[in-house]
Amino acid sequence: VCVIGVLSLGGATEALGARDFRAELIQAAKDRTKFHVVYTPDYVALDYPGGDVPEGTGVCTDVVIRAYRKLGIDLQVLVHEDMKKAFSQYPKHWGAKRPDRNIDHRRVPNLQSFLKRQGASLPISREGNRYKPGDLVTWNLNPQGWLPHIGVVIDRMSPDGKRRLIVHNMGGGTVAEDILFRFPITGHYRFIPGTTKR
């Protein structure tokens, strides 16, 4: 599950203009469920900027990366540039000595660090209505160990109407599911370029 690990924020915001960023991000996330994706956690050498693993492959982070990229936000570039400026502020789980633009943005803990540094962190809550469409949520899928995961909150509700569904890829392809409180939540973020601050 995500064990593997362009435009500036200002430029992207200007490009969006009056468009509803959140609505477009939600739609971009939902659109990802239309693609058949085989869960593939391999290290892949990517183009830069705009690098992506082959269509039809990917992990949980690729759902988020591809959704934001549909709106002109390149997390590969943003994370890489931020890691070059503040490498010591990022996790060291993989023994990396320097930023790696091929993989860094595809690792959940790195995305968490990036989002925190952008001022996008929100409180973790057990109240479903605190998680708004377009938010990002991270989990640990293995409470006895460490298995980080990430997904996008969308505007569809659970059958009981208490939680919003999550678009994610846990290994069975990109789907929209009622998993918000199925695993321990490790992070809650709202990353809307131009509205968050370091």
Side-chain angles (χ1 to χ4, degrees), residues 35-98:
F35 293 85
H36 176 70
V37 175
V38 176
Y39 192 89
T40 313
D42 302 340
Y43 180 97
V44 179
L46 303 179
D47 292 336
Y48 184 87
D52 194 8
V53 295
E55 189 65 68
T57 68
V59 293
C60 65
T61 48
D62 295 309
V63 176
V64 175
I65 292 161
R66 287 164 168 163
Y68 271 91
R69 192 168 274 157
K70 183 87 177 283
L71 277 68
I73 310 298
D74 192 340
L75 288 169
Q76 180 193 29
V77 171
L78 295 179
V79 172
H80 182 64
E81 292 300 318
D82 195 57
M83 288 187 78
K84 286 199 301 185
K85 290 188 287 189
F87 187 67
S88 66
Q89 301 300 307
Y90 280 81
K92 301 297 183 289
H93 304 298
W94 307 278
K97 304 287 193 238
R98 64 189 65 82

Short mmCIF file of all heavy atoms in Angstrom, two decimals, residues 35-98:
data_model
loop_
_atom_site.label_atom_id
_atom_site.label_comp_id
_atom_site.label_asym_id
_atom_site.label_seq_id
_atom_site.Cartn_x
_atom_site.Cartn_y
_atom_site.Cartn_z
N PHE A 35 -10.08 4.56 -14.52
CA PHE A 35 -8.90 3.93 -15.12
C PHE A 35 -8.61 2.60 -14.43
O PHE A 35 -8.67 2.51 -13.19
CB PHE A 35 -7.68 4.84 -14.99
CG PHE A 35 -7.77 6.11 -15.79
CD1 PHE A 35 -8.41 7.23 -15.27
CD2 PHE A 35 -7.23 6.18 -17.06
CE1 PHE A 35 -8.50 8.40 -16.00
CE2 PHE A 35 -7.31 7.35 -17.80
CZ PHE A 35 -7.96 8.46 -17.27
N HIS A 36 -8.28 1.60 -15.22
CA HIS A 36 -7.84 0.33 -14.63
C HIS A 36 -6.37 0.49 -14.24
O HIS A 36 -5.52 0.76 -15.07
CB HIS A 36 -7.98 -0.81 -15.65
CG HIS A 36 -7.45 -2.11 -15.15
ND1 HIS A 36 -8.06 -2.83 -14.14
CD2 HIS A 36 -6.34 -2.80 -15.49
CE1 HIS A 36 -7.35 -3.93 -13.89
NE2 HIS A 36 -6.31 -3.93 -14.70
N VAL A 37 -6.09 0.33 -12.95
CA VAL A 37 -4.73 0.52 -12.43
C VAL A 37 -4.31 -0.71 -11.65
O VAL A 37 -5.00 -1.15 -10.73
CB VAL A 37 -4.65 1.76 -11.52
CG1 VAL A 37 -3.27 1.88 -10.90
CG2 VAL A 37 -4.98 3.02 -12.31
N VAL A 38 -3.18 -1.27 -12.03
CA VAL A 38 -2.58 -2.38 -11.30
C VAL A 38 -1.63 -1.80 -10.25
O VAL A 38 -0.76 -0.99 -10.59
CB VAL A 38 -1.82 -3.33 -12.25
CG1 VAL A 38 -1.13 -4.43 -11.46
CG2 VAL A 38 -2.79 -3.92 -13.27
N TYR A 39 -1.83 -2.19 -9.01
CA TYR A 39 -0.98 -1.67 -7.93
C TYR A 39 0.46 -2.10 -8.18
O TYR A 39 0.79 -3.28 -8.21
CB TYR A 39 -1.46 -2.20 -6.58
CG TYR A 39 -0.82 -1.48 -5.42
CD1 TYR A 39 -1.40 -0.34 -4.88
CD2 TYR A 39 0.37 -1.94 -4.86
CE1 TYR A 39 -0.82 0.33 -3.82
CE2 TYR A 39 0.96 -1.28 -3.81
CZ TYR A 39 0.36 -0.15 -3.29
OH TYR A 39 0.95 0.52 -2.24
N THR A 40 1.34 -1.12 -8.40
CA THR A 40 2.72 -1.38 -8.79
C THR A 40 3.64 -0.45 -8.01
O THR A 40 3.83 0.71 -8.39
CB THR A 40 2.91 -1.14 -10.30
OG1 THR A 40 1.85 -1.77 -11.02
CG2 THR A 40 4.25 -1.69 -10.78
N PRO A 41 4.26 -0.95 -6.91
CA PRO A 41 5.09 -0.08 -6.07
C PRO A 41 6.55 0.01 -6.49
O PRO A 41 7.41 0.37 -5.69
CB PRO A 41 4.96 -0.75 -4.70
CG PRO A 41 4.83 -2.20 -5.02
CD PRO A 41 4.05 -2.27 -6.32
N ASP A 42 6.85 -0.28 -7.76
CA ASP A 42 8.24 -0.29 -8.21
C ASP A 42 8.84 1.12 -8.26
O ASP A 42 8.14 2.10 -8.52
CB ASP A 42 8.34 -0.90 -9.62
CG ASP A 42 7.79 -2.31 -9.68
OD1 ASP A 42 7.68 -2.96 -8.62
OD2 ASP A 42 7.46 -2.76 -10.79
N TYR A 43 10.13 1.19 -8.04
CA TYR A 43 10.87 2.43 -8.30
C TYR A 43 10.98 2.59 -9.80
O TYR A 43 11.38 1.67 -10.52
CB TYR A 43 12.27 2.34 -7.68
CG TYR A 43 13.13 3.58 -7.90
CD1 TYR A 43 13.21 4.56 -6.92
CD2 TYR A 43 13.83 3.76 -9.08
CE1 TYR A 43 13.99 5.70 -7.11
CE2 TYR A 43 14.61 4.89 -9.29
CZ TYR A 43 14.68 5.85 -8.30
OH TYR A 43 15.45 6.97 -8.50
N VAL A 44 10.61 3.77 -10.30
CA VAL A 44 10.64 4.03 -11.74
C VAL A 44 11.35 5.35 -11.99
O VAL A 44 11.08 6.34 -11.31
CB VAL A 44 9.20 4.11 -12.31
CG1 VAL A 44 9.24 4.41 -13.80
CG2 VAL A 44 8.43 2.82 -12.04
N ALA A 45 12.28 5.37 -12.95
CA ALA A 45 12.92 6.63 -13.35
C ALA A 45 11.90 7.46 -14.13
O ALA A 45 11.31 6.98 -15.10
CB ALA A 45 14.14 6.35 -14.21
N LEU A 46 11.68 8.70 -13.68
CA LEU A 46 10.64 9.54 -14.26
C LEU A 46 11.23 10.74 -15.00
O LEU A 46 12.30 11.22 -14.67
CB LEU A 46 9.72 10.06 -13.15
CG LEU A 46 9.03 9.03 -12.27
CD1 LEU A 46 8.19 9.74 -11.21
CD2 LEU A 46 8.18 8.07 -13.09
N ASP A 47 10.48 11.22 -15.98
CA ASP A 47 10.80 12.51 -16.58
C ASP A 47 10.65 13.59 -15.50
O ASP A 47 10.00 13.37 -14.47
CB ASP A 47 9.85 12.83 -17.74
CG ASP A 47 10.06 11.91 -18.92
OD1 ASP A 47 11.17 11.35 -19.06
OD2 ASP A 47 9.10 11.72 -19.70
N TYR A 48 11.22 14.75 -15.76
CA TYR A 48 11.06 15.87 -14.84
C TYR A 48 11.11 17.17 -15.62
O TYR A 48 12.03 17.35 -16.41
CB TYR A 48 12.19 15.85 -13.80
CG TYR A 48 12.05 16.91 -12.74
CD1 TYR A 48 11.30 16.67 -11.59
CD2 TYR A 48 12.65 18.16 -12.89
CE1 TYR A 48 11.16 17.66 -10.62
CE2 TYR A 48 12.52 19.14 -11.93
CZ TYR A 48 11.78 18.89 -10.79
OH TYR A 48 11.65 19.85 -9.83
N PRO A 49 10.13 18.04 -15.45
CA PRO A 49 8.92 17.88 -14.62
C PRO A 49 7.88 17.02 -15.32
O PRO A 49 8.09 16.58 -16.45
CB PRO A 49 8.43 19.32 -14.48
CG PRO A 49 8.86 19.98 -15.75
CD PRO A 49 10.20 19.36 -16.09
N GLY A 50 6.76 16.83 -14.66
CA GLY A 50 5.64 16.11 -15.26
C GLY A 50 5.82 14.62 -15.37
O GLY A 50 5.08 13.96 -16.10
N GLY A 51 6.78 14.05 -14.64
CA GLY A 51 7.02 12.61 -14.74
C GLY A 51 5.92 11.80 -14.10
O GLY A 51 5.37 12.18 -13.06
N ASP A 52 5.60 10.67 -14.72
CA ASP A 52 4.57 9.79 -14.18
C ASP A 52 4.94 8.35 -14.48
O ASP A 52 5.61 8.07 -15.49
CB ASP A 52 3.22 10.12 -14.82
CG ASP A 52 2.03 9.50 -14.08
OD1 ASP A 52 2.24 8.93 -12.98
OD2 ASP A 52 0.90 9.56 -14.60
N VAL A 53 4.52 7.45 -13.60
CA VAL A 53 4.69 6.03 -13.88
C VAL A 53 3.76 5.67 -15.02
O VAL A 53 2.82 6.42 -15.33
CB VAL A 53 4.40 5.18 -12.62
CG1 VAL A 53 5.43 5.47 -11.53
CG2 VAL A 53 2.99 5.39 -12.10
N PRO A 54 3.98 4.53 -15.69
CA PRO A 54 3.12 4.18 -16.83
C PRO A 54 1.64 4.15 -16.45
O PRO A 54 1.28 3.67 -15.37
CB PRO A 54 3.62 2.78 -17.23
CG PRO A 54 5.04 2.76 -16.77
CD PRO A 54 5.06 3.55 -15.49
N GLU A 55 0.80 4.71 -17.32
CA GLU A 55 -0.64 4.67 -17.10
C GLU A 55 -1.06 3.21 -16.95
O GLU A 55 -0.54 2.34 -17.63
CB GLU A 55 -1.38 5.30 -18.28
CG GLU A 55 -2.85 5.51 -18.04
CD GLU A 55 -3.13 6.52 -16.94
OE1 GLU A 55 -2.85 7.70 -17.10
OE2 GLU A 55 -3.64 6.08 -15.89
N GLY A 56 -1.94 2.96 -16.03
CA GLY A 56 -2.35 1.58 -15.76
C GLY A 56 -1.58 0.98 -14.61
O GLY A 56 -1.82 -0.17 -14.23
N THR A 57 -0.61 1.73 -14.05
CA THR A 57 0.12 1.28 -12.87
C THR A 57 0.09 2.42 -11.85
O THR A 57 -0.23 3.56 -12.18
CB THR A 57 1.57 0.92 -13.19
OG1 THR A 57 2.29 2.13 -13.53
CG2 THR A 57 1.68 -0.07 -14.33
N GLY A 58 0.44 2.09 -10.61
CA GLY A 58 0.53 3.15 -9.61
C GLY A 58 0.20 2.66 -8.21
O GLY A 58 -0.13 1.49 -8.01
N VAL A 59 0.32 3.58 -7.26
CA VAL A 59 0.03 3.29 -5.86
C VAL A 59 -0.87 4.41 -5.33
O VAL A 59 -1.36 5.24 -6.09
CB VAL A 59 1.34 3.19 -5.04
CG1 VAL A 59 2.14 1.98 -5.46
CG2 VAL A 59 2.18 4.45 -5.16
N CYS A 60 -1.07 4.45 -4.02
CA CYS A 60 -2.01 5.43 -3.46
C CYS A 60 -1.58 6.86 -3.74
O CYS A 60 -2.42 7.72 -4.05
CB CYS A 60 -2.21 5.18 -1.97
SG CYS A 60 -0.74 5.43 -0.94
N THR A 61 -0.31 7.15 -3.63
CA THR A 61 0.15 8.52 -3.86
C THR A 61 -0.09 8.97 -5.30
O THR A 61 -0.33 10.15 -5.56
CB THR A 61 1.64 8.66 -3.53
OG1 THR A 61 2.36 7.60 -4.16
CG2 THR A 61 1.87 8.63 -2.02
N ASP A 62 -0.04 8.03 -6.24
CA ASP A 62 -0.24 8.39 -7.64
C ASP A 62 -1.67 8.88 -7.89
O ASP A 62 -1.90 9.68 -8.81
CB ASP A 62 0.11 7.21 -8.55
CG ASP A 62 1.59 6.86 -8.47
OD1 ASP A 62 2.42 7.77 -8.63
OD2 ASP A 62 1.91 5.67 -8.23
N VAL A 63 -2.63 8.42 -7.10
CA VAL A 63 -3.99 8.93 -7.21
C VAL A 63 -4.00 10.43 -6.93
O VAL A 63 -4.58 11.23 -7.67
CB VAL A 63 -4.93 8.19 -6.23
CG1 VAL A 63 -6.33 8.80 -6.27
CG2 VAL A 63 -4.98 6.70 -6.54
N VAL A 64 -3.34 10.82 -5.85
CA VAL A 64 -3.27 12.22 -5.44
C VAL A 64 -2.47 13.03 -6.46
O VAL A 64 -2.90 14.11 -6.90
CB VAL A 64 -2.65 12.35 -4.04
CG1 VAL A 64 -2.46 13.80 -3.65
CG2 VAL A 64 -3.51 11.61 -3.02
N ILE A 65 -1.31 12.51 -6.85
CA ILE A 65 -0.44 13.21 -7.80
C ILE A 65 -1.18 13.47 -9.11
O ILE A 65 -1.15 14.58 -9.66
CB ILE A 65 0.84 12.38 -8.05
CG1 ILE A 65 1.70 12.34 -6.79
CG2 ILE A 65 1.63 12.93 -9.24
CD1 ILE A 65 2.71 11.22 -6.77
N ARG A 66 -1.86 12.45 -9.62
CA ARG A 66 -2.54 12.59 -10.91
C ARG A 66 -3.74 13.52 -10.81
O ARG A 66 -4.03 14.27 -11.76
CB ARG A 66 -2.93 11.22 -11.43
CG ARG A 66 -1.74 10.42 -11.93
CD ARG A 66 -2.03 8.95 -12.09
NE ARG A 66 -0.97 8.26 -12.84
CZ ARG A 66 -0.80 6.94 -12.83
NH1 ARG A 66 -1.61 6.15 -12.13
NH2 ARG A 66 0.18 6.40 -13.54
N ALA A 67 -4.44 13.49 -9.69
CA ALA A 67 -5.59 14.39 -9.52
C ALA A 67 -5.13 15.85 -9.51
O ALA A 67 -5.71 16.70 -10.20
CB ALA A 67 -6.35 14.04 -8.24
N TYR A 68 -4.09 16.15 -8.73
CA TYR A 68 -3.58 17.53 -8.69
C TYR A 68 -2.99 17.94 -10.04
O TYR A 68 -3.14 19.08 -10.47
CB TYR A 68 -2.54 17.68 -7.59
CG TYR A 68 -3.14 18.07 -6.26
CD1 TYR A 68 -3.53 17.10 -5.34
CD2 TYR A 68 -3.34 19.41 -5.92
CE1 TYR A 68 -4.11 17.46 -4.11
CE2 TYR A 68 -3.90 19.78 -4.72
CZ TYR A 68 -4.29 18.79 -3.82
OH TYR A 68 -4.86 19.15 -2.63
N ARG A 69 -2.34 17.01 -10.71
CA ARG A 69 -1.72 17.36 -11.99
C ARG A 69 -2.78 17.71 -13.03
O ARG A 69 -2.54 18.54 -13.92
CB ARG A 69 -0.84 16.20 -12.46
CG ARG A 69 0.07 16.57 -13.63
CD ARG A 69 1.10 15.50 -13.87
NE ARG A 69 2.28 15.69 -13.04
CZ ARG A 69 3.12 14.70 -12.71
NH1 ARG A 69 2.90 13.47 -13.14
NH2 ARG A 69 4.17 14.95 -11.96
N LYS A 70 -3.95 17.11 -12.94
CA LYS A 70 -5.04 17.45 -13.85
C LYS A 70 -5.40 18.93 -13.74
O LYS A 70 -5.90 19.54 -14.69
CB LYS A 70 -6.25 16.57 -13.49
CG LYS A 70 -7.45 16.75 -14.41
CD LYS A 70 -7.36 15.85 -15.62
CE LYS A 70 -8.59 15.97 -16.51
NZ LYS A 70 -9.74 15.26 -15.97
N LEU A 71 -5.13 19.53 -12.58
CA LEU A 71 -5.42 20.94 -12.36
C LEU A 71 -4.19 21.82 -12.55
O LEU A 71 -4.20 23.01 -12.23
CB LEU A 71 -5.98 21.14 -10.95
CG LEU A 71 -7.47 20.87 -10.76
CD1 LEU A 71 -7.80 19.40 -10.93
CD2 LEU A 71 -7.94 21.35 -9.41
N GLY A 72 -3.10 21.23 -13.06
CA GLY A 72 -1.89 22.00 -13.33
C GLY A 72 -0.96 22.12 -12.15
O GLY A 72 -0.04 22.93 -12.18
N ILE A 73 -1.18 21.34 -11.09
CA ILE A 73 -0.33 21.37 -9.90
C ILE A 73 0.57 20.14 -9.94
O ILE A 73 0.08 19.01 -9.84
CB ILE A 73 -1.15 21.35 -8.60
CG1 ILE A 73 -2.27 22.39 -8.63
CG2 ILE A 73 -0.26 21.51 -7.38
CD1 ILE A 73 -1.80 23.81 -8.74
N ASP A 74 1.87 20.34 -10.08
CA ASP A 74 2.82 19.23 -10.21
C ASP A 74 3.50 18.96 -8.87
O ASP A 74 4.47 19.62 -8.50
CB ASP A 74 3.85 19.56 -11.29
CG ASP A 74 4.69 18.36 -11.69
OD1 ASP A 74 4.74 17.38 -10.92
OD2 ASP A 74 5.29 18.40 -12.78
N LEU A 75 2.98 17.99 -8.14
CA LEU A 75 3.56 17.66 -6.84
C LEU A 75 4.97 17.11 -6.96
O LEU A 75 5.76 17.24 -6.02
CB LEU A 75 2.66 16.66 -6.10
CG LEU A 75 1.35 17.26 -5.57
CD1 LEU A 75 0.41 16.16 -5.08
CD2 LEU A 75 1.62 18.26 -4.45
N GLN A 76 5.31 16.52 -8.08
CA GLN A 76 6.70 16.07 -8.27
C GLN A 76 7.65 17.25 -8.12
O GLN A 76 8.64 17.20 -7.40
CB GLN A 76 6.86 15.42 -9.64
CG GLN A 76 8.28 14.92 -9.91
CD GLN A 76 8.53 14.57 -11.38
OE1 GLN A 76 7.91 15.15 -12.26
NE2 GLN A 76 9.43 13.63 -11.60
N VAL A 77 7.34 18.35 -8.80
CA VAL A 77 8.17 19.55 -8.76
C VAL A 77 8.10 20.20 -7.38
O VAL A 77 9.13 20.56 -6.80
CB VAL A 77 7.75 20.54 -9.85
CG1 VAL A 77 8.45 21.88 -9.67
CG2 VAL A 77 8.05 19.98 -11.23
N LEU A 78 6.91 20.37 -6.86
CA LEU A 78 6.75 21.09 -5.59
C LEU A 78 7.46 20.38 -4.45
O LEU A 78 8.15 21.02 -3.64
CB LEU A 78 5.27 21.27 -5.27
CG LEU A 78 4.48 22.14 -6.23
CD1 LEU A 78 3.01 22.21 -5.82
CD2 LEU A 78 5.08 23.54 -6.33
N VAL A 79 7.31 19.07 -4.37
CA VAL A 79 7.97 18.32 -3.30
C VAL A 79 9.48 18.33 -3.51
O VAL A 79 10.25 18.55 -2.56
CB VAL A 79 7.43 16.88 -3.22
CG1 VAL A 79 8.26 16.04 -2.24
CG2 VAL A 79 5.96 16.89 -2.79
N HIS A 80 9.92 18.13 -4.74
CA HIS A 80 11.36 18.09 -5.00
C HIS A 80 12.02 19.43 -4.66
O HIS A 80 13.07 19.47 -4.00
CB HIS A 80 11.61 17.75 -6.47
CG HIS A 80 13.06 17.65 -6.83
ND1 HIS A 80 13.90 16.69 -6.28
CD2 HIS A 80 13.83 18.39 -7.67
CE1 HIS A 80 15.12 16.85 -6.77
NE2 HIS A 80 15.10 17.87 -7.61
N GLU A 81 11.40 20.52 -5.09
CA GLU A 81 11.98 21.84 -4.80
C GLU A 81 11.99 22.12 -3.31
O GLU A 81 12.95 22.70 -2.79
CB GLU A 81 11.21 22.92 -5.56
CG GLU A 81 11.37 22.88 -7.07
CD GLU A 81 12.83 23.04 -7.51
OE1 GLU A 81 13.53 23.90 -6.93
OE2 GLU A 81 13.26 22.31 -8.41
N ASP A 82 10.94 21.72 -2.61
CA ASP A 82 10.90 21.95 -1.17
C ASP A 82 11.93 21.08 -0.45
O ASP A 82 12.57 21.54 0.51
CB ASP A 82 9.50 21.69 -0.61
CG ASP A 82 9.34 22.25 0.78
OD1 ASP A 82 9.53 23.47 0.96
OD2 ASP A 82 9.03 21.48 1.71
N MET A 83 12.11 19.86 -0.90
CA MET A 83 13.11 18.98 -0.29
C MET A 83 14.52 19.50 -0.53
O MET A 83 15.39 19.36 0.34
CB MET A 83 12.96 17.55 -0.81
CG MET A 83 11.73 16.84 -0.27
SD MET A 83 11.66 15.09 -0.71
CE MET A 83 12.83 14.41 0.47
N LYS A 84 14.76 20.11 -1.67
CA LYS A 84 16.09 20.69 -1.91
C LYS A 84 16.37 21.82 -0.93
O LYS A 84 17.51 22.00 -0.50
CB LYS A 84 16.18 21.22 -3.36
CG LYS A 84 16.30 20.11 -4.40
CD LYS A 84 16.86 20.61 -5.72
CE LYS A 84 16.01 21.69 -6.33
NZ LYS A 84 16.48 22.11 -7.67
N LYS A 85 15.33 22.56 -0.55
CA LYS A 85 15.50 23.68 0.37
C LYS A 85 15.55 23.23 1.83
O LYS A 85 16.20 23.89 2.64
CB LYS A 85 14.34 24.68 0.21
CG LYS A 85 14.35 25.45 -1.08
CD LYS A 85 13.29 26.53 -1.08
CE LYS A 85 11.92 25.92 -1.25
NZ LYS A 85 10.86 26.93 -1.46
N ALA A 86 14.88 22.12 2.15
CA ALA A 86 14.72 21.74 3.56
C ALA A 86 14.77 20.22 3.74
O ALA A 86 13.89 19.63 4.35
CB ALA A 86 13.41 22.29 4.10
N PHE A 87 15.81 19.61 3.20
CA PHE A 87 15.90 18.14 3.22
C PHE A 87 15.83 17.59 4.64
O PHE A 87 15.25 16.53 4.88
CB PHE A 87 17.19 17.70 2.53
CG PHE A 87 17.30 16.21 2.35
CD1 PHE A 87 16.45 15.54 1.50
CD2 PHE A 87 18.26 15.49 3.04
CE1 PHE A 87 16.55 14.16 1.32
CE2 PHE A 87 18.36 14.12 2.88
CZ PHE A 87 17.51 13.45 2.02
N SER A 88 16.40 18.31 5.59
CA SER A 88 16.42 17.82 6.97
C SER A 88 15.03 17.76 7.60
O SER A 88 14.84 17.11 8.62
CB SER A 88 17.33 18.70 7.84
OG SER A 88 16.79 20.01 7.95
N GLN A 89 14.07 18.43 6.99
CA GLN A 89 12.71 18.44 7.52
C GLN A 89 11.86 17.28 7.02
O GLN A 89 10.69 17.17 7.38
CB GLN A 89 12.02 19.76 7.15
CG GLN A 89 12.75 20.99 7.66
CD GLN A 89 12.88 21.00 9.18
OE1 GLN A 89 11.89 20.86 9.89
NE2 GLN A 89 14.11 21.12 9.67
N TYR A 90 12.46 16.42 6.21
CA TYR A 90 11.73 15.30 5.63
C TYR A 90 12.17 13.98 6.28
O TYR A 90 13.29 13.88 6.80
CB TYR A 90 11.95 15.26 4.12
CG TYR A 90 11.07 16.26 3.40
CD1 TYR A 90 11.42 17.60 3.32
CD2 TYR A 90 9.87 15.86 2.82
CE1 TYR A 90 10.60 18.53 2.68
CE2 TYR A 90 9.05 16.77 2.17
CZ TYR A 90 9.42 18.10 2.11
OH TYR A 90 8.61 19.01 1.48
N PRO A 91 11.32 12.95 6.23
CA PRO A 91 11.64 11.66 6.87
C PRO A 91 12.89 11.02 6.28
O PRO A 91 13.24 11.26 5.12
CB PRO A 91 10.41 10.80 6.58
CG PRO A 91 9.32 11.77 6.30
CD PRO A 91 9.97 12.96 5.66
N LYS A 92 13.50 10.18 7.09
CA LYS A 92 14.74 9.49 6.68
C LYS A 92 14.55 7.97 6.63
O LYS A 92 15.51 7.22 6.72
CB LYS A 92 15.88 9.83 7.66
CG LYS A 92 16.17 11.33 7.76
CD LYS A 92 16.66 11.88 6.43
CE LYS A 92 17.03 13.36 6.51
NZ LYS A 92 15.88 14.25 6.65
N HIS A 93 13.31 7.53 6.50
CA HIS A 93 13.02 6.09 6.55
C HIS A 93 13.80 5.28 5.51
O HIS A 93 14.09 4.12 5.72
CB HIS A 93 11.53 5.83 6.29
CG HIS A 93 10.61 6.54 7.24
ND1 HIS A 93 10.61 6.31 8.59
CD2 HIS A 93 9.66 7.48 7.01
CE1 HIS A 93 9.70 7.08 9.16
NE2 HIS A 93 9.11 7.80 8.23
N TRP A 94 14.12 5.91 4.38
CA TRP A 94 14.69 5.15 3.26
C TRP A 94 16.20 5.31 3.17
O TRP A 94 16.82 4.81 2.24
CB TRP A 94 14.02 5.62 1.97
CG TRP A 94 12.54 5.53 2.10
CD1 TRP A 94 11.77 4.41 1.92
CD2 TRP A 94 11.65 6.58 2.47
NE1 TRP A 94 10.45 4.70 2.17
CE2 TRP A 94 10.35 6.03 2.52
CE3 TRP A 94 11.82 7.92 2.78
CZ2 TRP A 94 9.22 6.79 2.85
CZ3 TRP A 94 10.71 8.68 3.12
CH2 TRP A 94 9.43 8.11 3.15
N GLY A 95 16.79 6.00 4.10
CA GLY A 95 18.24 6.18 4.09
C GLY A 95 18.73 7.08 2.99
O GLY A 95 19.93 7.04 2.63
N ALA A 96 17.86 7.90 2.43
CA ALA A 96 18.27 8.80 1.34
C ALA A 96 19.21 9.88 1.86
O ALA A 96 19.03 10.41 2.94
CB ALA A 96 17.04 9.43 0.70
N LYS A 97 20.20 10.19 1.07
CA LYS A 97 21.17 11.24 1.42
C LYS A 97 20.86 12.57 0.73
O LYS A 97 21.43 13.60 1.06
CB LYS A 97 22.58 10.80 1.01
CG LYS A 97 22.99 9.47 1.63
CD LYS A 97 23.29 9.62 3.11
CE LYS A 97 24.01 8.37 3.59
NZ LYS A 97 23.32 7.71 4.68
N ARG A 98 19.98 12.54 -0.26
CA ARG A 98 19.64 13.74 -1.03
C ARG A 98 18.26 13.51 -1.67
O ARG A 98 17.79 12.38 -1.75
CB ARG A 98 20.68 14.00 -2.12
CG ARG A 98 20.76 12.92 -3.18
CD ARG A 98 21.93 13.09 -4.12
NE ARG A 98 23.19 12.96 -3.43
CZ ARG A 98 23.77 11.79 -3.15
NH1 ARG A 98 23.18 10.65 -3.50
NH2 ARG A 98 24.94 11.75 -2.53
#
